[in-house]
Amino acid sequence: MSITVLYRTAAVATGGRDGRVATADGALDLALGMPKELGGAGKGNNPEQLFAAGYAACFLSALKLVATQKGQGQAVSEATIKATVGIGPRSDKGFGLEVELEASLPGVDHATALTLVEEADTVCPYSHAVRGNISVKLTVA
């Protein structure tokens, strides 16, 4: 499978989980810190927070695209996506991730909301990237 790249960006990390991460254009520059649950001080952001933020924003955009294509764009104008990312040791080696995406679509009936969320999952590039690699649970509030 190949893609036609429409946008490309880069970020550089220094110091690992207790360092910094910055985008090449300088738009993002964050101090990183190991979460307390993983033995750190809990100061600064961590890669799981960044992944959760990126996945939530990307999935919401996919949801809005799908709804607009179905003539329901206005119905999801107040929609939100909460991405919860968990990290822990794998049974084989190293660490793994799991994700729960919770969609809230005020004013949209549950069946329609579920259909839109499931279709958004087939469109979202983050969903494509992780499919078959980590557990992703989709829920509709």
Side-chain angles (χ1 to χ4, degrees):
M1 183 217 38
S2 65
I3 66 169
T4 301
V5 175
L6 300 176
Y7 171 74
R8 189 178 311 266
T9 189
V12 175
T14 56
R17 286 181 169 270
D18 284 314
R20 291 198 78 75
V21 65
T23 54
D25 63 5
L28 178 74
D29 187 347
L30 296 172
L32 299 175
M34 182 82 76
K36 288 181 181 180
E37 297 84 351
L38 297 178
K43 298 193 191 265
N45 294 103
N46 61 66
E48 292 71 38
Q49 291 172 323
L50 299 174
F51 184 68
Y55 203 163
C58 189
F59 197 90
L60 182 55
S61 291
L63 178 65
K64 288 183 171 192
L65 173 69
V66 165
T68 298
Q69 289 174 339
K70 294 183 172 294
Q72 298 176 343
Q74 187 59 33
V76 297
S77 64
E78 300 298 320
T80 61
I81 300 294
K82 176 183 176 185
T84 303
V85 175
I87 184 172
R90 292 171 50 111
S91 60
D92 55 356
K93 186 176 180 183
F95 286 80
L97 299 174
E98 68 175 21
V99 174
E100 179 176 357
L101 298 175
E102 181 183 327
S104 174
L105 289 79
V108 178
D109 69 86
H110 190 268
T112 301
L114 189 57
T115 298
L116 292 171
V117 166
E118 288 173 348
E119 190 162 341
D121 188 50
T122 69
V123 172
C124 176
Y126 274 63
S127 293
H128 285 293
V130 302
R131 188 169 286 111
N133 296 310
I134 67 173
S135 171
V136 177
K137 180 181 177 185
L138 302 174
T139 62
V140 175

